[in-house]
Amino acid sequence: MGIHGSFGILVLFITVINAQQLFPQKKLFDQTYIIDPEAEMTVPEIIRRWGYPVETYNVVTTDGYVLVLHRIPFGKGGYNPGSKPVVFLQHGLLCTSSVWIMNLPHQSLGFLLADAGYDVWLGNMRGNTYSRRHANPRIRAQEYWKFSWSEMARYDLPAMIDGVLNITGESQLYYIGHSQGTLTMFSMLSENEKMNKKIRAYFAIAPIGTIANVKGLFRYLGENMYNELEMITLLFGDQEYLPNTFISRWLTELICGLASTNPLCQNFLFLVSGPDSHQFNKTRIPVYLAHNPAGTSIKNILHFCQMVRNQMHLDYDYGEKGNQQRYNSSIPPAFNITKIKVPMYLYYSDSDWLATPADVQGYLLKRLNKKYIKEVKHLHDYNHNDFLWGLRAPDDIYKPIIKSIRLDWVKWKAHLLHTTTVPTTTVTFMPSFNQLNDTNEDKDLLGSIIKPLSKTTKTISPSIFAATTTISTKDKNLLKPISEEK
Ligand SMILES: *[C@@H]1O[C@H](CO)[C@@H](O)[C@H](O)[C@H]1NC(C)=O
Ligand SMILES: *[C@@H]1O[C@H](CO)[C@@H](O)[C@H](O)[C@H]1NC(C)=O
Ligand SMILES: *[C@@H]1O[C@H](CO)[C@@H](O)[C@H](O)[C@H]1NC(C)=O
Ligand SMILES: *[C@@H]1O[C@H](CO)[C@@H](O)[C@H](O)[C@H]1NC(C)=O
Ligand SMILES: *[C@@H]1O[C@H](CO)[C@@H](O)[C@H](O)[C@H]1NC(C)=O
């Protein structure tokens, strides 16, 4: 896969040039970049830099893609041998697991969850900086890059989620997704009933099902560039789009530097995300840019462009003939999100160009089964990236999520206690409950659940709470924690 086709760069070139017509000129940096050391580090290095433990695992999808999982097993409170919520975080389009740890520890969702006492897992979709190996080392680039988010939904998410459940020994996990990390989740849950049972709750941040009302670069790509992109694929086969190489970084800087100092021009991500942020820590932007964009396939970008054009939530469109062969129908099948049976929490905003209120309200909220919608939060003044890096996000989104998980987890395990008869003596609750600075409201709720328990005679075996750390596949070496991934 060493070939980051020069055509990917050509496309970048074309898109950046064209996109400049869209945006007003504005200056972001006053000459000086203050580069934080995290710009030069890998995800495990960043996690370690802030004093957190980190583990790296590989999982192999059933179609052979080797994906890398990063884990923060515990936080500043120290190792907790008891059972704890397992939380899985899935990044969005063109990003990596880095998106969850890009700010300071008290501002980043990955670290906040670890400090709350949870077992935190960060996924990496096929084709990004970390997950670009294949079980077949001789696979040709054109074969490798033949995927869109449909494959991520069908293969990547089940493989990663099953891997995490296997390693932790839990039966269910909490899922938090951003952007494409929600599109893939909605799609997977629509057609995979078994996976529904493995998700305890689903937190959808900047959620995407349709992008009929998308603004910015994607509208432009969908309306004006689709044919060019398709042509490149037809002529040269499937290729990578926007790899995170020095060339693409240099090119972005060069083009934007010459033409303008438009902040939106600094990076593809900002062309996608929405209007200028009012809550960014601007000195950290070089860190974000150093890690993203991180590569995906042109086919994936094409799939997003198709969504702009057909305004629906459909599988990949191969054209009438191709669809007939593949789907036995002239149009691709639609994902039916009404089938999803997982408790869901949605967070969206009016300043988001990709997950627009029109699409969230007009598609997701309309079609999702109301019975499973636990919370919908319509936030103001968040662009697509503010959900990850905005300075208001910890209070508006992350802390409420942490609290929802904690309350649900206690209810869940308490229910287990009531319904399981195991002959042992001790009950272990997450020690971190004591460390948390609960509000009175929290305390009452926890108290009402825990107190009745102490009156019951039922207790639970610690072994139910013990985590195991084995995972098996055909190739054991692939699944061992690996030391470091560049
Ligand atoms: C993990 O998966 C293997 C089979 O793939 C199975 O034998 C093992 O019991 C699983 N472990 C857990 C804790 O589920
Ligand atoms: C912004 O980032 C810089 C360094 O990256 C950090 O020193 C500073 O504390 C951050 N500011 C805020 C408000 O978080
Ligand atoms: C294809 O679709 C037609 C009608 O829509 C149906 O009669 C036929 O059984 C389908 N074939 C397969 C292989 O599913
Ligand atoms: C989608 O799923 C729901 C719930 O299972 C079902 O009632 C509905 O008919 C389905 N819609 C379509 C178009 O298949
Ligand atoms: C706990 O919360 C209270 C009220 O919100 C605050 O005054 C106090 O400083 C907090 N304590 C810690 C240790 O964070």
Side-chain angles (χ1 to χ4, degrees):
M1 253 89 53
I3 312 155
H4 306 135
S6 48
F7 301 104
I9 289 164
L10 174 69
V11 174
L12 167 77
F13 191 82
I14 297 167
T15 53
V16 171
I17 294 283
N18 281 312
Q20 280 193 351
Q21 301 158 3
L22 287 173
F23 304 107
Q25 314 276 306
K26 202 162 142 220
K27 198 171 175 72
L28 175 65
F29 296 114
D30 292 326
Q31 314 283 316
T32 42
Y33 278 76
I34 304 156
I35 304 285
D36 283 279
E38 296 99 280
E40 312 272 292
M41 294 177 170
T42 62
V43 165
E45 285 168 351
I46 295 174
I47 294 173
R48 219 171 283 125
R49 162 166 204 244
W50 295 114
Y52 291 78
V54 60
E55 293 168 12
T56 303
Y57 294 85
N58 289 328
V59 296
V60 186
T61 66
T62 51
D63 60 347
Y65 287 76
V66 182
L67 310 177
V68 168
L69 295 171
H70 293 127
R71 178 193 201 180
I72 313 174
F74 55 91
K76 289 276 160 64
Y79 178 67
N80 152 26
S83 175
K84 53 210 155 243
V86 173
V87 188
F88 184 87
L89 278 66
Q90 185 52 57
H91 65 74
L93 177 66
L94 283 162
C95 294
T96 70
S97 52
S98 66
V99 298
W100 308 109
I101 51 152
M102 290 270 91
N103 274 347
L104 306 181
H106 68 286
Q107 299 165 333
S108 304
L109 182 56
F111 293 129
L112 285 168
L113 288 163
D115 284 338
Y118 307 164
D119 186 2
V120 183
W121 293 79
L122 317 174
N124 281 295
M125 292 291 194
R126 61 181 62 191
N128 84 4
T129 314
Y130 295 95
S131 297
R132 48 175 63 222
R133 277 190 291 153
H134 195 274
N136 169 12
R138 279 181 303 281
I139 189 170
R140 289 166 57 233
Q142 294 191 3
E143 278 306 306
Y144 180 90
W145 293 108
K146 237 184 234 308
F147 63 79
S148 77
W149 55 258
S150 290
E151 280 71 32
M152 300 178 195
R154 278 189 196 118
Y155 302 107
D156 293 2
L157 284 184
M160 290 192 286
I161 290 168
D162 283 340
V164 170
L165 292 177
N166 189 295
I167 294 165
T168 57
E170 285 288 327
S171 59
Q172 289 183 307
L173 53 72
Y174 295 90
Y175 183 97
I176 304 176
H178 174 250
S179 185
Q180 179 192 265
T182 66
L183 173 62
T184 46
M185 189 62 171
F186 286 125
S187 307
M188 179 192 81
L189 294 174
S190 300
E191 59 177 27
N192 190 333
E193 216 180 320
K194 244 160 90 189
M195 291 308 294
N196 277 258
K197 303 207 171 74
K198 298 180 184 177
I199 310 300
R200 180 72 197 170
Y202 167 23
F203 299 86
I205 302 177
I208 292 179
T210 54
I211 50 171
N213 300 285
V214 70
K215 297 180 202 140
L217 182 61
F218 264 110
R219 171 142 307 279
Y220 187 79
L221 278 179
E223 286 174 355
N224 303 304
M225 294 288 296
Y226 186 81
N227 294 336
E228 282 89 336
L229 282 171
E230 205 174 31
M231 186 68 75
I232 286 171
T233 320
L234 286 178
L235 286 177
F236 305 108
D238 281 291
Q239 298 282 342
E240 177 168 18
Y241 188 75
L242 285 185
N244 186 2
T245 61
F246 76 96
I247 297 178
S248 74
R249 275 187 250 169
W250 171 80
L251 209 69
T252 314
E253 265 176 40
L254 181 76
I255 294 164
C256 297
L258 286 178
S260 77
T261 40
N262 183 340
L264 294 168
C265 179
Q266 294 291 329
N267 189 276
F268 179 88
L269 289 182
F270 294 82
L271 300 174
V272 170
S273 64
D276 213 358
S277 170
H278 300 117
Q279 48 171 321
F280 257 14
N281 181 350
K282 292 214 157 88
T283 62
R284 289 196 77 75
I285 288 178
V287 180
Y288 311 148
L289 297 193
H291 289 268
N292 313 284
T296 190
S297 62
I298 292 188
K299 185 172 174 184
N300 192 29
I301 299 293
L302 279 171
H303 199 169
F304 274 96
C305 293
Q306 290 175 356
M307 294 169 73
V308 178
R309 293 155 77 90
N310 63 35
Q311 314 210 336
M312 290 190 279
H313 182 188
L314 306 180
D315 212 334
Y316 193 84
D317 190 342
Y318 292 92
E320 215 173 305
K321 216 171 131 205
N323 292 338
Q324 210 47 265
Q325 280 170 1
R326 238 165 225 268
Y327 309 122
N328 189 26
S329 140
S330 60
I331 54 162
F335 293 93
N336 184 354
I337 58 172
T338 311
K339 289 186 175 160
I340 298 175
K341 291 192 184 123
V342 172
M344 285 174 276
Y345 299 71
L346 285 81
Y347 304 83
Y348 69 107
S349 169
D350 37 19
S351 301
D352 190 336
W353 281 0
L354 202 51
T356 57
D359 280 309
V360 173
Q361 291 160 4
Y363 176 69
L364 292 176
L365 295 180
K366 214 154 142 196
R367 303 279 183 90
L368 290 169
N369 187 338
K370 300 232 166 7
K371 198 173 123 197
Y372 293 97
I373 298 182
K374 295 287 169 200
E375 192 184 316
V376 178
K377 216 167 177 182
H378 186 162
L379 296 145
H380 295 284
D381 195 26
Y382 274 72
N383 75 27
H384 204 60
N385 293 329
D386 287 335
F387 288 97
L388 300 170
W389 306 320
L391 294 177
R392 294 198 303 267
D395 284 335
D396 287 348
I397 307 170
Y398 307 161
K399 286 171 193 170
I401 288 180
I402 287 169
K403 184 171 156 186
S404 300
I405 292 178
R406 188 162 79 249
L407 296 180
D408 177 80
W409 194 89
V410 171
K411 276 187 210 161
W412 174 25
K413 294 298 166 173
H415 178 75
L416 266 186
L417 280 177
H418 284 299
T419 55
T420 322
T421 7
V422 198
T424 47
T425 45
T426 42
V427 176
T428 331
F429 272 107
M430 253 194 328
S432 52
F433 279 155
N434 307 327
Q435 296 157 14
L436 290 166
N437 191 3
D438 289 321
T439 61
N440 283 337
E441 174 208 351
D442 263 14
K443 277 206 180 99
D444 288 349
L445 227 162
L446 291 177
S448 70
I449 296 164
I450 293 172
K451 241 181 258 138
L453 281 182
S454 59
K455 291 198 192 104
T456 74
T457 51
K458 277 178 197 164
T459 50
I460 198 157
S461 158
S463 69
I464 288 190
F465 287 108
T468 56
T469 50
T470 45
I471 180 165
S472 66
T473 73
K474 285 172 253 158
D475 185 355
K476 282 253 189 317
N477 282 332
L478 278 177
L479 298 187
K480 280 206 201 100
I482 50 177
S483 48
E484 207 83 302
E485 188 83 2
K486 250 285 173 220

